[in-house]
Amino acid sequence: MDKPPPSISSSRWSNVSSKEVTFADLASKRIRHGSAGADSEMLSMSQKEIKDEDARLIYINDPDRTNDTSFDFTGNSIKTAKYSVFTFLPRNLFEQFHRVAYVYFLVIAVLNQLPQLAVFGRGASIMPLAFVLLVSAIKDAYEDFRRHRSDRVENNRLALVFEDGEFRDKQWKYIRVGEVIKVVSNQTLPCDMVLLATSDPTGVVYVQTTNLDGESNLKTRYAKQETLQKATDLETFDGFIKCEKPNRNIYGFQANMEIDGRRLSLGPSNIILRGCELKNTEWALGVVVYAGSETKAMLNNSGAPSKRSRLETRMNLEIILLSLFLIALCTTAAATAAVWLRRHRDDLDTILFYRRKDYSVRPEGKNHNYYGWGWEIFFTFFMAVIVYQIMIPISLYISMELVRIGQAYFMTRDDLMYDESSKSSFQCRALNINEDLGQIKYLFSDKTGTLTDNKMEFQCACIGGVDYSDREPAESEQAGYSVEVDGIILKPKMRVRVDPSLLNLTRNGKATEEAKRANEFFLSLAACNTIVPIVTNTSDPNVKLVDYQGESPDEQALVYAAAAYGFLLIERTSGHIVINVRGEMQRYNVLGLHEFDSDRKRMSVILGCPDMSVKLFVKGADSSMFSVMDEVSYGDVIEATKKQLHAYSSDGLRTLVVGMRKLNDSEFEQWRSSFEAASTALIGRAGLLRKVAGNIETNLRIVGATAIEDKLQRGVPEAIESLRIAGIKVWVLTGDKQETAISIGFSSRLLTRNMRQIVINSNSLDSCRRSLEEANDSIASDDDESVALIIDGTSLIYVLDNDLEDVLFQVACKSSAVLCCRVAPFQKAGIVALVKNRTSDMTLAIGDGANDVSMIQMADVGVGISGQEGRQAVMASDFAMGQFRFLVPLLLVHGHWNYQRMGYMILYNFYRNAVFVLILFWYVLFTCYTLTTAITEWSSVLYSVVYTSFPTIVIGILDKNLGRRILLRHPQLYGVGQRAEGYSTTLFWYMMFDTVWQSAVIFFIPLFAYWGSTIDTSSLGDLWTIAAVVVVNLHLAMDVIRWNWIAHAAIWGSIVAACICVIVIDVIPTLPGYWAIFQVAKTWMFWFCLLAIVVTALLPRFAIKFLVEYYRPSDVRIAREVEKLGTYRESQTMVTEMNQIQDPPRR
Amino acid sequence: MPSNNTASSSAAGSSDSSTTRRNSKRPKYSKFTQQELPACKPILTPGWVILTFLVISVIFIPLGVVSLFASQDVVEIVDRYDNDCIPPPSRADKVAYIQGAANKTCTRTIVVPKKMKQPIYVYYELENFYQNHRRYVKSRSDAQLRSVRDENQIEGCKPEDDVNGQPIVPCGLIAWSLFNDTYALSKNNQPLNVSKKGIAWKSDREHKFGKNVFPKNFQMGNITGGGRLIPNVPLSEQEDLIVWMRTAALPTFRKLYGKIETDLQENDTIHVVLENNYNTYSFDGKKKLVLSTTSWLGGKNDFLGIAYLTVGGICFFLALAFTIMYLVKPRRLGDPTYLSWNRVPGGGR
């Protein structure tokens, strides 16, 4: 992920402020997408002062009074289950009927209940709907049962609640807002509470928020100093908290506490949230502010936004076509019936098979079931709709869902996509867009944490303009630094390779100016951060490890580096830090800390040193640091440092600049007063604090610069190359500097040496326009050359939301790689939108951090990397995985498969239903245009449910047109999905022609063979049923590519199942078709018809399929031949190899 | 999130419970989960396709020939009488004649063209009679036919459901319109026995039509549709009714009238004395008397034989055509130069 400051991971730095800015910016943007917009409003609210109408009052340790107010607090029992025993039926039905498909079912079923329209019997007409509802209901009930069970477990957990002067165990569900709770180490917090006191005298607690945001490192939270002492005597604790209404921002909290008439402001660092675990702290006391469903954890417990797949959207067009067919068929039936009725209108009373009059009522007779010519037409039309209802393949929607679940199962279980290091397997969060993975054309990737590991390694230091970057480790230093304190050896947990000359320099004490600077440099690295050292035991009782926990991996790397050079940070509280400087313990008072924010792009700390001086240490991005340096005094050092920084970033390193200043008393006093005023301010506190920081961070003396390597993840270059060969345009969006970005671009093979780089780096709209147009012209002139477009965030400001977007899009389309550097998070979504709005091609965004959320939600497919940076990206994503390189199997293998399977399945479902409907329709032409079906109504219903559904689902889940290896070996095969070859209107029309042919063959061969014979309706109906089932299943069998035992079982099993069903229906003596199947199946005629039907129906398809595959082979077909005939040998060479094969085909 | 509707949150709820178990175990490797189950992957090679077509033609052409022979072996005499059996003066208003009380007896003479071996089936053939009309096929009660207890199940039978509140057995339009022309055959002036036993399906006689269900109130309504039933014979033995109740699938159909169990010689003259009672005139229905032998494949119908020969011929032709195409313009299978990115120079797009 790439943060706004170039080289520092901002959200780690201080998650609160930077994230607020991120989202606030987003909200102000014109583009609103999905939930991000709504979120951002809530998030930015935290910055504002709470208005009375938005506030809630909580009386500390007075739950009765608290809950007596009109704020409507919820209890702490949670209910994730949706239904109770009584509400299940109505609510579940209500929710199920939200889907259009079910409503269609229902309307048809209701139509069928009208006596004039009753085509099917009651049972047969309701069965399909009932079946689907039942299956869904059972699934929902089971899921809900599991939720009930986990709710019960959760609600019955115990917590220590202060009641009647002592702490007593109380079940979670009875905890109320306003109560004071004591949590001990390693306990899970039952609700959101404001800290009152902790076992630590300074009021610090450490919490692990893994359950909440997935970050495994410890976070520090503080109790207010004012409440620390008071909390010892809870009985007399009197105060109230005015806090904002519950919201889902886990990084924001805004409240005021009033105790003893004093107002204190509370921020996100004063609240601990439900689901977190208390660590490294004996106990903590807190007052419940949000309980149960109002806790931030529960509010965040909602899923990914639902998307619709491109294929499904495309499919709607064909559904409309099918509806038109349906209407056409029904109209034909109604019209022909009308003509017949009109022509025979005088005979209707007496025609033996019509008998309109019921003479039993009175001698002149009364019309029986006849409502006049017009009505008869009307009824015929709707009866036709009922009979031909499966023309609209409603079962397809259910099949698609099942298939997607199956596909998701195989994706999550894929061995290739299991991340060993984080022990996480692939996750399918969105179940609707599996097949979109096969059609991706644009890939937008974040850099840090996505392409790279986000594991920072300290590489170089530049101190006083001198570069120390000898990265060859000296042998003697392999053991790593350790120091002995009170007989116990302390070691930093991670070793850092050190530069021997720099190490010598620091060891030589403060003898030289250089050494002094080096010491200052490492002191500032050790001090100027928010890292918490945690001392852990090892197997050797005399050796202890110091583990640095912090939110920014950059800071961790710096502190470990400082430790390696002898500046071992040992303790940090809110008031002081202890640093062991080469064996000597030094205590520094932390007088003030200005947290990182993305406007300043730096942080600073004010320390009271052991020598009683007060020093300000500042660390930040070079762009923001050089402007606050004292350029007059240190101009040459700054120049030298700048040069070094340029060299570092060309190597792809992330750089930071460190500066410091000694504060004199007056400066300090002035600062302190304004800092205190700002930090207790009730209005615009964040802005005030930023201003205070800005005022003091001036005139700095440059200490040095650091360079940190952000290592590429394993397999990233290969993955990017594969994706590029697959025809996917890769855009990398990074917050890094241009030089860093380009160097990462080279190392990740996004850029290659033979690419011409077009750099857009403009500061005004006009120059931006000019350079873009120049670029556009230059690409247009020669198209053989591959071009890389590099554009920076400043230029993007002018481009986005502007007519320049079109030019940029044109340029970007012609470039083979696009690199956007110094991109602000809100711009990421803008870039994705730029592409998405201009092309119908599919976009995929991949990222791992909170600042990628907008981009992930904007893209057609969002992929989250569950890496170092928490889980916001994963929560917003459709798919989540551990490593960037898994994109290759995900897209090239699973995406390809899913797309092919789904495309085929949709076409096949259209076909199989239409064949059946047409058979029914042809018959109507021979029944005096009345809706008689020779096929029994039960077979009509079971046809799409039992006779033909299993194979299509099985094939949709399991069939593979090509093996995994060949797909990975030839990424170009991915083009099948990009060119939408698996499903198109052309294919649909071919399919429909085939459908008409096959249905005609199935219908007319028996018709002519049995014309003028003694054949009865039921026997002929049975023949048609079985013929249709066999043809439809064999049609599928012809297209199955991999015949494993499951495919065999599904296809042959379906035919057998259909025969069994037909037999079962025919052994019921009260149905007209009693024993018909046995009567007809013992004649040769039956079997001769069946054989003729099957062969004749499938013959054209078979011949054309062969001709096309043989003379106009698709890539997939060639690859299949290669795979099957083994015309490639196991060899290391990738693509070229295929051109050299000289082996003749074996057949 | 506002974009979350209730429907999606149910799915999301379950997926969230899985995300909290973030540290998942490595999926156990199995051929199934990795989708590597052993599978046969046939592809259509020219050899297979040509072979398939050859095999089909080799099977189909003999089958077609056999079917045609079977059809040719059948000797069939068809005699349409609906028009001829109305005395010429009455032909202006056939419906009036057939509904009138005049004597409907009519004599037909048939000459056997070829030797017919027994059993010779006697059919009546109706044309333009829609026994598959929706109103018609629904107008019956199978429960009532089977058991006396269900004789009141007559909801589906309108307008022939009851007479003065008494249920009609068998009810419904189908039974009501029972065919009632009768044929008395004589060969060379000797009566020719037409056996009416065993003309209906055994399964129908034994299970579908009750042995103790007797006709009730049948044809007692205001108008008579067709034949009457013998009141004290159970339905299971009224085989004409059973045959009639097996409604025909198509508007031109035959129904078995009886069987002649003696051979007929060439040029035998058969006199048929028929009672022309059944009214097909109101809808231009044709009536025919058919005497036919059967083959193992059924009656006289050349369609299937021709169809088999045609398909077999086409397959043979296709096999030939594909062989020639294969020899003239073969394509090497698995030749990577056909891949789109190898065809386009400098491809890879």
Side-chain angles (χ1 to χ4, degrees), chain B residues 112-294:
Chain B
V112 178
K114 225 169 139 191
K115 187 188 173 199
M116 294 170 88
K117 279 206 176 127
Q118 63 96 8
I120 301 156
Y121 295 94
V122 180
Y123 302 100
Y124 50 90
E125 180 174 322
L126 296 180
E127 227 177 292
N128 218 12
F129 189 102
Y130 287 88
Q131 254 205 326
N132 55 16
H133 194 286
R134 197 183 162 73
R135 282 171 77 95
Y136 188 78
V137 289
K138 296 281 167 193
S139 186
R140 64 189 287 160
S141 166
D142 287 289
Q144 189 202 45
L145 298 175
R146 201 168 125 74
S147 140
V148 196
R149 274 175 295 138
D150 294 327
E151 70 173 28
N152 286 317
Q153 290 201 12
I154 49 171
E155 309 86 70
C157 287
K158 284 202 167 192
E160 277 300 319
D161 49 349
D162 57 10
V163 176
N164 307 325
Q166 290 296 307
I168 300 174
V169 181
C171 70
L173 277 184
I174 305 181
W176 171 77
S177 62
L178 176 64
F179 187 76
N180 60 349
D181 287 4
T182 58
Y183 313 118
L185 276 68
S186 59
K187 183 178 79 172
N188 305 335
N189 296 325
Q190 299 291 314
L192 187 61
N193 187 34
V194 177
S195 161
K196 305 275 281 179
K197 276 271 172 254
I199 54 172
W201 292 1
K202 193 159 166 271
S203 55
D204 279 354
R205 291 197 309 264
E206 289 178 357
H207 303 290
K208 198 164 170 58
F209 289 79
K211 291 192 173 52
N212 49 5
V213 182
F214 295 90
K216 251 190 207 169
N217 305 319
F218 190 65
Q219 302 291 24
M220 307 289 261
N222 292 7
I223 61 168
T224 308
R228 294 171 191 278
L229 295 170
I230 312 157
N232 44 11
V233 175
L235 291 186
S236 62
E237 288 170 30
Q238 311 245 14
E239 295 202 35
D240 280 326
L241 176 75
I242 299 176
V243 169
W244 184 252
M245 296 285 286
R246 277 272 154 210
T247 54
L250 302 169
T252 299
F253 62 92
R254 290 174 185 178
K255 294 234 169 256
L256 193 53
Y257 181 80
K259 285 184 273 186
I260 299 172
E261 278 152 352
T262 53
D263 291 356
L264 293 179
Q265 304 302 321
E266 194 173 337
N267 292 327
D268 276 354
T269 312
I270 293 168
H271 290 276
V272 185
V273 179
L274 59 81
E275 295 288 326
N276 182 19
N277 298 322
Y278 201 63
N279 177 12
T280 57
Y281 302 96
S282 54
F283 50 89
D284 299 328
K286 293 172 192 160
K287 293 194 282 190
K288 292 170 186 171
L289 171 65
V290 179
L291 271 67
S292 173
T293 58
T294 55

Side-chain angles (χ1 to χ4, degrees), chain A residues 697-722:
Chain A
E697 291 162 352
T698 51
N699 261 336
L700 300 177
R701 175 159 64 82
I702 185 156
V703 178
T706 61
I708 294 168
E709 188 183 3
D710 187 5
K711 283 194 136 176
L712 277 184
Q713 279 182 15
R714 227 179 89 205
V716 164
E718 293 80 5
I720 288 189
E721 192 162 319
S722 279

Side-chain angles (χ1 to χ4, degrees), chain A residues 953-1007:
Chain A
I953 294 171
V954 166
I955 298 309
I957 296 173
L958 284 177
D959 200 24
K960 308 188 292 180
N961 59 350
L962 287 169
R964 182 190 291 267
R965 280 172 55 197
I966 198 152
L967 285 174
L968 289 175
R969 186 176 290 246
H970 301 289
Q972 293 97 329
L973 291 169
Y974 189 71
V976 174
Q978 291 169 333
R979 294 188 294 269
E981 284 176 15
Y983 181 89
S984 64
T985 307
T986 326
L987 284 176
F988 171 79
W989 282 109
Y990 284 138
M991 200 66 149
M992 285 330 278
F993 279 121
D994 198 20
T995 306
V996 173
W997 166 255
Q998 293 191 16
S999 68
V1001 167
I1002 295 171
F1003 179 79
F1004 285 103
I1005 284 187
L1007 181 91

Side-chain angles (χ1 to χ4, degrees), chain A residues 82 355 368 413 415 420 423 901 923 931-932 960 1009 1043 1071 1074 1088 1110 1115 1117 1121 1138 1145, chain B residues 1 10 24 26 34-35 40 44 132 134-135 176 208 222 246-247 249 301 308 331-332 334 336 340:
Chain A
K82 275 197 281 190
R355 254 302 289 283
H368 158 66
R413 298 298 295 267
D415 219 29
E420 205 67 75
K423 298 224 184 319
R901 291 163 175 168
Y923 191 52
L931 275 303
T932 318
K960 308 188 292 180
W1043 281 96
L1071 290 182
Y1074 178 65
F1088 268 60
Y1110 193 67
D1115 292 344
R1117 161 75 187 191
E1121 292 170 2
M1138 277 188 88
Chain B
M1 278 179 212
S10 71
S24 47
R26 184 181 193 96
Q34 301 312 307
Q35 307 186 50
C40 159
L44 293 180
N132 55 16
R134 197 183 162 73
R135 282 171 77 95
W176 171 77
K208 198 164 170 58
N222 292 7
R246 277 272 154 210
T247 54
N301 191 334
Y308 267 90
R331 174 176 73 85
R332 213 175 62 207
S340 61

Side-chain angles (χ1 to χ4, degrees), chain A residues 357-393:
Chain A
K357 293 262 193 263
D358 186 350
Y359 294 102
S360 62
V361 183
R362 31 179 206 271
E364 70 273 24
K366 167 187 166 263
N367 281 351
H368 158 66
N369 201 7
Y370 182 88
Y371 306 90
W373 189 63
W375 280 109
E376 284 302 305
I377 298 168
F378 180 79
F379 289 143
T380 307
F381 183 85
F382 280 99
M383 276 159 85
V385 173
I386 296 172
V387 174
Y388 305 150
Q389 55 174 298
I390 62 166
M391 190 73 169
I392 313 292

